[in-house]
Amino acid sequence: MTAGTNQNSNDRTDAPFIKITDLHKSFKGVKAVDGLSFTVKKGELFAFLGVNGAGKSTTINIISGILPKDGGTVIVCGADPDVKAESVKSKIGIVFQSSVLDKHLSVYDNLKYRAALYGIIGEQFKRRLDELDQLLDLKEILKRPLCKLSGGQRRRADIARALVHNPELLVLDEPTTGLDPQTRQAVWNVIENLRATRGLTVFLTTHYMEEAANADYVLILDSGKKVAEGTPHELKTAYATDTVRIYSHIEEAVALFSSLGYVVKRERDYADIEVSDMFAATQLILRYPELFDDYEVLKGNMDSVFLRVTGNKIMEVR
């Protein structure tokens, strides 16, 4: 069952920007994508989640016109990537997990050569570079080789590369992996500014569930198949469990609630008691008030959604 049954991906036809129906792709008999269907609306931040090997990269490569599909239909920006690959590619910018820029060239030269592939040269390139500088604050790094930049500076260069031809769709493949929290926030400030000012559609894969929690819509993929979809709120309502974290009477609480059938996790200086929702947490506290001198109730999050749906935990890559 998927969350949000009143608003599943096949019904979200309000200005579909990407529409995929019954997509199939196999490699040497192994199904990488198996009957996948979903839509992405224009201007949406769409989170596409799954563990490594779930089929995310294959789907992105098909959307981007890099890989042909085996079956199904794929429409991106009004065109089939298998039929009009160049037209589709011209409307997509991709920020890969690992930079594809030449590490020995300056940021300026990297962007200049990338822009030339789209016929953006001379004064047109200068104007576009000025626009990117206003968005990404590039002046301080333009003349520096990529290998001399910090992780956050390289990410700004990667985003500039993806945006140099002014695409309508920005694909972010784990864009903040390995970045410190301050730099991650800076990257997201840029992305949100682009969405607000340009109406950019963003297709995101990430290992950080707090980033997925800010998406407009989320699809979770497992073994090439869709296993859940919906808004973050719908998914948390359908799959996440809340937790009562207790800091006092720990041993007594662990013994009691374990005997009553609750899932209890004992940590060094607290214990977590899983409950279905806030109402259940309130009832538990009212029934055993003597045990709850010091506690807090934690709402279920996208981490618990992912774990519940797939039985796996996305591991953050450091």
Side-chain angles (χ1 to χ4, degrees):
M1 184 185 76
T2 59
T5 54
N6 291 327
Q7 188 189 20
N8 65 51
S9 67
N10 293 323
D11 294 332
R12 297 167 61 251
T13 54
D14 180 21
F17 195 75
I18 299 173
K19 187 171 180 62
I20 291 181
T21 306
D22 197 27
L23 178 63
H24 290 265
K25 182 66 180 181
S26 297
F27 298 97
K28 297 181 178 179
V30 177
K31 293 182 179 179
V33 181
D34 189 7
L36 183 62
S37 298
F38 65 88
T39 64
V40 179
K41 293 166 62 176
K42 185 172 178 57
E44 190 169 54
L45 172 54
F46 186 95
F48 193 56
L49 308 181
V51 298
N52 292 335
K56 303 188 304 297
S57 294
T58 299
T59 304
I60 287 173
N61 287 337
I62 291 171
I63 289 172
S64 306
I66 298 171
L67 274 178
K69 61 185 178 293
D70 291 341
T73 60
V74 177
I75 302 297
V76 182
C77 307
D80 182 339
D82 283 356
V83 178
K84 297 184 177 181
E86 293 308 313
S87 173
V88 170
K89 288 178 182 178
S90 70
K91 296 177 181 178
I92 299 177
I94 305 178
V95 178
F96 296 97
Q97 181 178 350
S98 299
S99 180
V100 294
L101 294 173
D102 190 317
K103 65 180 181 180
H104 299 297
L105 292 180
S106 69
V107 173
Y108 178 89
D109 285 339
N110 267 294
L111 295 179
K112 180 179 178 180
Y113 297 143
R114 179 67 180 176
L117 295 175
Y118 295 93
I120 305 172
I121 58 176
E123 289 300 318
Q124 186 182 5
F125 171 67
K126 290 181 180 179
R127 289 194 298 271
R128 185 60 185 145
L129 190 61
D130 286 341
E131 293 172 353
L132 291 172
D133 175 45
Q134 292 177 25
L135 283 171
L136 298 162
D137 192 20
L138 298 174
K139 277 191 176 67
E140 63 174 308
I141 64 172
L142 278 177
K143 298 302 181 181
R144 296 172 61 185
L146 200 76
C147 60
K148 298 295 185 181
L149 302 182
S150 69
Q153 290 170 332
R154 283 196 300 272
R155 259 303 173 243
R156 276 191 280 154
D158 290 330
I159 294 172
R161 170 199 168 277
L163 296 175
V164 73
H165 59 298
N166 203 21
E168 298 177 40
L169 172 66
L170 181 62
V171 177
L172 301 173
D173 189 7
E174 299 178 24
T176 60
T177 294
L179 300 181
D180 62 83
Q182 183 177 3
T183 304
R184 285 172 59 198
Q185 186 58 55
V187 168
W188 274 107
N189 288 343
V190 170
I191 294 167
E192 287 306 314
N193 180 51
L194 286 167
R195 293 186 64 215
T197 59
R198 307 291 179 88
L200 192 66
T201 304
V202 178
F203 191 94
L204 168 72
T205 75
T206 181
H207 280 176
Y208 297 108
M209 291 295 100
E210 66 269 28
E211 294 180 347
N214 293 323
D216 296 306
Y217 205 79
V218 178
L219 185 147
I220 301 176
L221 195 67
D222 194 20
S223 301
K225 295 182 178 182
K226 176 174 61 181
V227 290
E229 66 174 327
T231 66
H233 176 73
E234 288 170 341
L235 289 171
K236 285 185 282 188
T237 299
Y239 297 108
T241 55
D242 293 342
T243 300
V244 181
R245 179 164 292 176
I246 190 167
Y247 298 96
S248 60
H249 310 290
I250 295 174
E251 299 303 333
E252 185 180 353
V254 168
L256 173 62
F257 296 124
S258 295
S259 71
L260 294 174
Y262 287 92
V263 176
V264 181
K265 296 178 183 178
R266 176 72 162 91
E267 302 294 343
R268 181 175 180 179
D269 55 359
Y270 64 86
D272 284 343
I273 307 159
E274 287 190 14
V275 292
S276 57
D277 51 33
M278 289 295 290
F279 178 77
T282 302
Q283 294 300 108
L284 192 68
I285 294 163
L286 291 175
R287 186 174 180 183
Y288 302 100
E290 69 279 3
L291 298 179
F292 292 94
D293 295 336
D294 188 6
Y295 71 94
E296 60 180 325
V297 180
L298 307 175
K299 289 290 293 178
N301 55 27
M302 289 300 297
D303 273 305
S304 58
V305 169
F306 191 89
L307 182 59
R308 178 81 176 275
V309 169
T310 67
N312 295 291
K313 180 70 178 289
I314 285 185
M315 299 303 293
E316 293 184 1
V317 180
R318 299 295 183 185

